[in-house]
Amino acid sequence: MIRLRVGALRQVVPDTLEFCWTLVRDQQDMPEAELVLELVPAAVRCRACDRQSEIESRWSVACPECGSADVEVVAGEEFLVTSVDVT
Ligand SMILES: [Zn+2]
């Protein structure tokens, strides 16, 4: 089983990823291997009001509290393989 952590700000479509995975799996001849996607919500820290919030849309990275665009992305850019367990 392969565990993948994908941030919401990454331009990764889970369906596409899963489709690619089935191709790899067939090629590697390990039909039992499973891909588990862990989606991480995006979060920003606002420099204007100093609050940290999760954001809904990847297209508008702004503080939901005060509307400031002066924010720092603190989560949502992950793309990590967190565990690989192929038997
Ligand atoms: Zn703010």
Side-chain angles (χ1 to χ4, degrees):
M1 178 164 79
I2 296 188
R3 228 175 246 282
L4 199 60
R5 180 174 296 176
V6 182
L9 295 177
R10 285 282 171 172
Q11 308 292 314
V12 173
V13 182
D15 286 349
T16 309
L17 210 57
E18 270 168 39
F19 176 69
C20 291
W21 174 243
T22 60
L23 297 183
V24 172
R25 198 171 57 180
D26 290 351
Q27 220 167 44
Q28 302 294 314
D29 196 28
M30 38 182 202
E32 302 302 315
E34 231 187 305
L35 179 69
V36 177
L37 286 182
E38 199 184 322
L39 294 172
V40 182
V44 294
R45 200 182 62 78
C46 177
R47 291 191 185 96
C49 69
D50 208 34
R51 269 182 284 200
Q52 185 170 320
S53 346
E54 282 189 6
I55 52 173
E56 301 288 324
S57 164
R58 71 169 78 162
W59 310 117
S60 69
V61 180
C63 173
E65 301 290 337
C66 71
S68 170
D70 189 12
V71 294
E72 184 188 339
V73 175
V74 292
E77 304 212 79
E78 291 86 350
F79 193 93
L80 295 172
V81 174
T82 51
S83 80
V84 179
D85 179 11
V86 179
T87 45

